[in-house]
Amino acid sequence: MPQAPLPDEMNVYQNAEARFEVAAQKLGLEQGLYRYLKYPKKEITLYIPVGMDNGQLEVFTGYRVLHSTVRGPGKGGIRFAPDVSLDEVRALATWMTWKCGVVNIPFGGAKGGIICDPRKLSKGELERLTRRYTAELADWLGPERDVPAPDIGTGEQVMAWVMDTYSMHVGEATTAVVTGKPIELGGSRGRREATGRGVMICCDKALAKLGIKKEGCRVVIQGFGNVGSLAAQLMQAAGYKIIGLADVGGGLYNERGFDVPKVIDWVYTQKKPLPEFPGGGTKMSARDVLFQPCEIAIPAAIENQITEQNAHQVQARILCEGANGPTTWQADAIVDSKGIFTVPDILGNAGGVTVSYFEWVQDRQGFFWRESEVNDRLLDVMESAFDGVVRYAEAHKVNNRIAAYMLAIDRVASALKLRGIYA
Ligand code: GLU
């Protein structure tokens, strides 16, 4: 197996590759399988024309990368953000394959993205952009082919448009083509909270493992979107003390702890900037929130937040990754050397895709579960995935991240061997 060069620290695809290389090497993955799993199955760049509200025609660039369908249909979100790139979408698609492997659900991995700033688009423009993107991908998508979901910059409404556009193309209402939909359209109870709930389950397990009490346990969270805000809300309700919060506008630290529902009301109902939340606290950059003294730090925003330059500043006992790729390859070693217990992204944020799997199952059955049923099943999946990763790490004397990759790659490679290569 070739020795990979050190990744360019800020290139997420190279970061994903570097971890794959180490895990594949440790597994002794045979050359052919290594080559097969290293590259995506297919990828597409789309130039998407959209009639804007001002009468102009704009063309947006979008991508869909299908990394693997070895264990089931491709699965993974669609991101709308100004800095989306093909390399980023590739990395995210690859991570989806390993994430679904870690939690052992029957999906491969995929991801999509469009370079745009959704906050600057009207609802009509967003709808036309989403519909044209979906229409261009109509032959790629499908409940048995590739099943999108929300990611940064997209949510239930965008998923509803994806479902509708796809359904119009195939001539039948196909709810299982996409997950993260509104409940009225075949969405699952508990899906909205699922990633945050999964983060909390991992934190509960990590505390139990390290023998730390939950009551009063100090938590800082970077990111106040679907993952961060719901993790904060659920964790505070469960007895954690949320002392640091941050979103794109900046961070706020208050050692007395935040009343999270009030912050959610401030940001989401009153539409005010998070750092201006009344009730005190020290303003700081969104990144600095992660470096405050605490038991648990949760990066739940974007990639490359903990780097070689700043990793030594992390003061947490536990790093639980709610975002995809928040810690760079170079930072991993520093975090490890500080003895920080890491819950890697492909485990920490896997609650979302796990309930996406439940949504897909419910849509295909046409039979919908109670919220408590969804949450119980999520707990089962996350707890056994956590135990599996920690056991694997201890048995193979590797860190949790490499253990998670090894476990996932091994599962995908075994399935691939059983299927054989159609070549
Ligand atoms: N975008 C989410 C993730 O990165 C959810 C993917 C899904 O539910 O398919 O895990």
Side-chain angles (χ1 to χ4, degrees):
M1 212 169 287
Q3 200 61 47
L6 209 58
D8 164 0
E9 191 176 13
M10 293 301 143
N11 180 313
V12 274
Y13 185 56
Q14 290 184 22
N15 274 270
E17 269 190 317
R19 282 142 180 173
F20 171 75
E21 301 283 344
V22 172
Q25 208 122 40
K26 288 201 183 286
L27 279 172
L29 196 66
E30 55 195 73
Q31 268 296 332
L33 295 183
Y34 160 84
R35 287 203 195 98
Y36 186 109
L37 296 175
K38 183 175 159 76
Y39 301 104
K41 184 177 163 73
K42 52 184 185 178
E43 46 191 42
I44 187 167
T45 301
L46 303 156
Y47 297 96
I48 311 152
V50 177
M52 305 300 279
D53 291 352
N54 64 7
Q56 300 278 323
L57 186 70
E58 197 58 73
V59 177
F60 293 85
T61 306
Y63 309 98
R64 185 78 186 167
V65 174
L66 188 60
H67 177 257
S68 173
T69 52
V70 172
R71 283 166 39 93
K75 187 82 194 82
I78 303 173
R79 177 172 291 198
F80 285 180
D83 54 359
V84 163
S85 68
L86 181 54
D87 258 358
E88 181 189 47
V89 178
R90 269 189 197 128
L92 292 162
T94 310
W95 282 327
M96 286 308 304
T97 303
W98 311 140
K99 196 184 295 189
C100 294
V102 170
V103 286
N104 210 359
I105 56 176
F107 284 138
K111 204 78 174 199
I114 300 179
I115 305 173
C116 67
D117 186 344
R119 289 167 308 183
K120 296 203 176 121
L121 297 175
S122 70
K123 191 169 178 195
E125 289 166 342
L126 265 180
E127 175 170 355
R128 294 192 288 280
L129 178 61
T130 305
R131 286 190 184 277
R132 183 65 188 245
Y133 174 78
T134 308
E136 296 289 348
L137 287 174
D139 291 340
W140 282 47
L141 305 181
E144 310 296 338
R145 292 184 178 176
D146 179 4
V147 183
D151 197 80
I152 293 173
T154 60
E156 291 180 8
Q157 177 61 76
V158 169
M159 298 307 115
W161 290 326
V162 172
M163 179 265 175
D164 182 67
T165 309
Y166 179 84
S167 298
M168 292 297 113
H169 274 255
V170 297
E172 52 193 48
T174 312
T175 51
V177 68
V178 63
T179 60
K181 299 178 297 296
I183 303 264
E184 300 86 326
L185 273 184
S188 176
R189 294 189 173 80
R191 174 63 184 86
R192 195 177 301 163
E193 301 80 13
T195 314
R197 187 176 295 281
V199 166
M200 176 173 74
I201 295 168
C202 289
C203 291
D204 290 351
K205 293 285 289 178
L207 287 188
K209 167 99 193 129
L210 302 182
I212 305 172
K213 270 204 334 284
K214 187 194 295 189
E215 273 58 42
C217 170
R218 296 167 305 164
V219 180
V220 298
I221 303 179
Q222 182 205 46
F224 207 62
N226 173 263
V227 185
S229 68
L230 286 156
Q233 188 177 1
L234 292 167
M235 289 177 76
Q236 189 191 16
Y240 289 92
K241 189 168 164 191
I242 315 299
I243 60 166
L245 289 170
D247 71 1
V248 276
L252 201 58
Y253 170 81
N254 188 334
E255 61 186 5
R256 293 191 307 278
F258 291 102
D259 183 340
V260 177
K262 284 201 176 132
V263 186
I264 290 178
D265 178 70
W266 175 256
V267 172
Y268 284 98
T269 313
Q270 302 187 47
K271 308 221 174 300
K272 301 268 181 53
L274 185 147
E276 308 300 330
F277 177 70
T282 313
K283 283 189 203 174
M284 56 184 64
S285 76
R287 203 173 281 197
D288 283 342
V289 163
L290 287 175
F291 307 134
Q292 303 310 307
C294 60
E295 279 69 48
I296 304 181
I298 302 177
I302 50 170
E303 296 108 32
N304 299 339
Q305 296 304 293
I306 302 175
T307 64
E308 189 171 26
Q309 278 68 47
N310 65 30
H312 61 274
Q313 295 178 53
V314 179
Q315 301 191 52
R317 297 277 309 280
I318 296 164
L319 176 66
C320 183
E321 297 181 339
N324 291 306
T327 310
T328 66
W329 159 264
Q330 277 84 343
D332 277 350
I334 304 169
V335 170
D336 275 352
S337 72
K338 290 169 68 82
I340 296 168
F341 183 93
T342 300
V343 181
D345 49 3
I346 55 173
L347 170 64
N349 69 35
V353 75
T354 301
V355 178
S356 276
Y357 165 53
F358 300 158
E359 180 172 333
W360 180 76
V361 169
Q362 292 171 77
D363 286 340
R364 284 164 22 128
Q365 290 182 328
F367 179 74
F368 291 87
W369 310 346
R370 289 189 309 277
E371 187 168 347
S372 58
E373 226 171 320
V374 172
N375 291 344
D376 287 351
R377 288 181 199 263
L378 174 63
L379 183 70
D380 268 4
V381 170
M382 292 303 296
E383 287 196 334
S384 52
F386 182 99
D387 291 338
V389 167
V390 170
R391 234 182 292 122
Y392 200 98
E394 286 169 359
H396 293 81
K397 304 206 179 341
V398 291
N399 66 26
N400 290 341
R401 191 185 308 280
I402 295 302
Y405 272 73
M406 288 173 75
L407 201 67
I409 293 168
D410 200 27
R411 283 192 179 134
V412 180
S414 305
L416 183 54
K417 275 199 238 168
L418 285 168
R419 283 179 70 151
I421 312 283
Y422 181 44

